């Protein structure tokens, strides 16, 4: 099939509550969606997880629009045949811009699979038809407000709680959540690179809380620092921002920098590279889980499909739609009473945007012909 055109669509969708991490606060998601058309008829969707500002990573939405329009789409338009497996190698000459590569690969894969009646989950190699779900809880203004939020998520059925931390907001909130909800609740923390190796002694104080893992405490380039930290703390170290490919995952594993990896498809260039990271980790006995970037139902559907692969043994950030959005742009994903979400089984992603909700949040569109 040939890529005959692409629609770039920007949407602005408010969060149900502000989401604060060590690098900032989000109240509204500025999201780039991409609709790819193959052979003038088959179409598929992708969601770019870049943020408005280059805070989580060097990527941001305006840059994604630019690099897609000026470099990536012309390259793909020039090819006589495009399918999901072709996108990554074709775009390899362009350095970085993983999230931009991921969104076009996802849309092409979705179109290809819809045209042939195959599901995203089956194509990736999923072995489960439902996945356990955790939830990411941002930094709050007070411990009391945090406990109230966690109470709501536990009551809703989430099987794992992830607490965002930063210097000055770590020991006290984690202790409070552990004491309130007991030793049986799965709790992990995520620092989003907020600490340095000099904080090792302080981070070791988190060991007493029996955490599932400590996610990305040090800067993304400091893989050796993570290896040293792993020798100084008992809590398992999980890498997120440091992992950009199967190659970097293999290197981190060989250095002893982590015993768990958070796989975010947008951060690694797409779901096919995410599957390769999964395979590397599975071969080395490294646990993996699927991270989230506050996706709409489009990105959530793809993440749930990925999380159904056999190596995903820990609950991911594949929360229900109402965790972030009052109204999603697809049919909402609803958490079951036992804290699971069903894996979409229809062709492609198994979901499509609803015209009304999509139009209501659209701020800009551009059709880019081949």
């Amino acid at each position: 099939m040939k890529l005959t055109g692409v629609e770039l669509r920007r949407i602005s969708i408010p969060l149900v509550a502000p989401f604060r991490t060590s690098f900032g606060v989000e109240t509204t998601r500025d999201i780039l969606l991409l609709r790819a058309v193959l052979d003038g008829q088959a179409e598929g969707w992708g969601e770019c997880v870049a943020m408005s500002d280059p805070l989580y990573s060097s990527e941001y939405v305006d840059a994604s629009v630019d690099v897609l329009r000026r470099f990536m789409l012309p390259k793909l338009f020039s090819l006589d045949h495009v399918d999901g497996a072709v996108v990554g190698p074709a775009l390899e000459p362009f350095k970085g811009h993983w999230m931009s590569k991921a969104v076009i690969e996802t849309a092409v894969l979705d179109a290809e699979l819809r045209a042939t009646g195959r599901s995203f989950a089956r194509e990736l190699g999923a072995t489960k038809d439902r996945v356990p779900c955790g939830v990411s809880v941002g930094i709050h203004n007070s411990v009391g407000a945090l406990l109230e939020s966690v109470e709501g998520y536990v009551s809703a059925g989430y099987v794992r709680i992830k607490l965002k931390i930063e210097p000055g907001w770590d020991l006290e909130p984690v202790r409070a959540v552990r004491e309130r909800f007991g030793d049986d609740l799965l709790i992990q923390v995520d620092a989003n690179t907020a600490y340095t190796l000099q904080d090792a002694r302080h981070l070791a104080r988190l060991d007493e809380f029996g955490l599932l893992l400590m996610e990305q405490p040090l800067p993304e380039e400091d893989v050796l620092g993570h290896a040293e930290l792993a020798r100084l703390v008992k809590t398992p170290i999980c890498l997120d921002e440091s992992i950009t490919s199967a190659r970097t995952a293999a290197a981190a594993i060989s250095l002893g920098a982590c015993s768990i990896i958070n796989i975010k498809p947008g951060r690694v260039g797409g779901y096919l590279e995410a599957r390769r990271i999964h395979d590397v980790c599975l071969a080395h006995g490294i646990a993996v889980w699927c991270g989230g970037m506050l996706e709409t139902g489009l990105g959530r559907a793809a993440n749930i499909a990925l999380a159904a692969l056999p190596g995903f043994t820990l609950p991911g950030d594949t929360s229900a739609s109402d965790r972030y959005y009052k109204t999603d742009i697809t049919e909402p994903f609803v958490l079951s009473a036992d804290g699971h979400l069903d894996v979409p089984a229809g062709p492609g992603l198994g979901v499509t945007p609803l015209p009304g909700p999509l139009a209501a949040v659209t701020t800009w569109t551009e059709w880019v012909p081949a």
Side-chain angles (χ1 to χ4, degrees):
M1 293 186 285
K2 187 173 178 61
L3 183 64
T4 50
V6 162
E7 178 190 80
L8 301 174
R9 179 183 292 261
R10 206 152 170 174
I11 65 173
S12 178
I13 181 168
L15 298 171
V16 294
F19 187 70
R20 179 182 165 194
T21 66
S22 62
F23 56 79
V25 181
E26 283 190 274
T27 58
T28 301
R29 285 285 285 134
D30 175 18
I31 301 172
L32 176 67
L33 303 179
L34 189 151
R35 180 173 62 91
V37 180
L38 302 180
D39 287 348
Q41 51 185 2
E43 65 176 48
W45 289 86
E47 176 175 343
C48 183
V49 296
M51 299 172 63
S52 299
D53 303 312
L55 299 174
Y56 168 77
S57 77
S58 62
E59 299 187 63
Y60 58 102
V61 180
D62 285 339
S64 185
V65 171
D66 182 64
V67 76
L68 281 162
R69 185 198 286 132
R70 292 176 59 198
F71 299 102
M72 296 183 181
L73 295 181
K75 175 63 175 180
L76 296 176
F77 288 148
S78 72
L79 302 179
D80 292 331
H81 172 78
V82 172
D83 59 27
V86 166
V87 174
L91 300 182
E92 188 173 2
F94 305 120
K95 305 302 182 184
H97 295 282
W98 311 116
M99 296 174 183
S100 302
K101 292 175 179 177
V103 69
I104 183 62
E105 181 195 84
T106 303
V108 169
L109 263 175
D110 186 34
E112 173 193 350
L113 296 174
R114 287 181 191 278
T116 54
R118 295 137 62 201
S119 76
F120 208 76
R122 181 177 178 182
E123 185 73 9
L124 292 177
T127 58
K128 295 167 277 192
D129 57 12
R130 58 201 305 265
V131 298
C133 298
V135 64
S136 182
V137 185
I139 295 168
H140 282 57
N141 291 329
S142 69
V143 170
L146 173 68
L147 292 175
E148 184 177 346
S149 290
V150 173
E151 176 69 49
Y153 297 130
V154 171
S155 298
Y158 286 103
V159 300
R160 183 271 286 156
I161 299 294
K162 179 168 85 172
L163 302 175
K164 294 287 188 177
I165 62 171
E166 66 180 1
W169 180 267
D170 42 36
L171 298 178
E172 183 184 4
V174 174
R175 178 181 288 109
V177 172
R178 177 57 81 202
E179 290 177 352
R180 168 70 70 87
F181 298 98
D183 294 338
D184 292 337
L185 179 64
L186 296 178
I187 303 174
Q188 63 192 56
V189 295
D190 181 10
N192 290 117
T193 76
Y195 298 85
T196 71
L197 190 56
Q198 293 178 327
D199 297 308
R201 181 174 296 181
H202 178 76
L203 292 171
R205 296 177 64 188
L206 291 166
D207 291 343
E208 66 178 283
F209 305 120
L211 300 176
L212 189 62
L213 59 89
M214 183 189 307
E215 183 180 353
Q216 196 70 42
L218 311 183
E220 61 186 87
E221 300 89 353
D222 196 5
V223 177
L224 290 176
H226 280 101
E228 178 63 22
L229 181 65
R231 291 188 282 270
L232 299 173
V233 302
K234 295 179 181 178
T235 304
I237 299 298
C238 171
L239 291 182
D240 173 358
E241 287 93 331
S242 296
I243 306 302
T244 57
S245 65
R247 179 175 296 176
T248 57
I253 293 168
S254 67
L255 290 169
C258 61
S259 55
I260 300 169
I261 286 179
N262 168 5
I263 302 179
K264 287 180 178 173
R267 194 193 60 238
V268 303
Y271 288 85
L272 299 185
E273 185 67 17
R275 182 175 62 185
R276 285 187 279 271
I277 296 172
H278 161 273
D279 294 347
V280 167
C281 292
L282 190 61
H284 287 83
I286 298 295
V288 299
W289 55 281
C290 184
M293 292 288 288
L294 285 65
E295 290 91 347
T296 70
L298 285 173
R300 197 169 310 281
N303 285 352
I304 293 169
L306 180 69
L309 269 65
F312 286 82
T313 56
L314 300 176
D317 288 338
T318 48
S319 310
S321 295
D322 64 3
R323 161 64 184 95
Y324 297 114
Y325 304 115
K326 182 178 180 181
T327 302
D328 207 337
I329 62 169
T330 67
E331 290 292 344
F333 285 90
V334 180
L335 195 72
S336 68
D338 63 348
H340 286 64
L341 288 178
D342 291 334
V343 178
L349 294 176
V351 299
T352 53
L354 301 171
L358 179 63
V361 296
T362 294
T363 59
W364 169 84
T365 63
E366 179 181 330
W367 174 254
V368 185

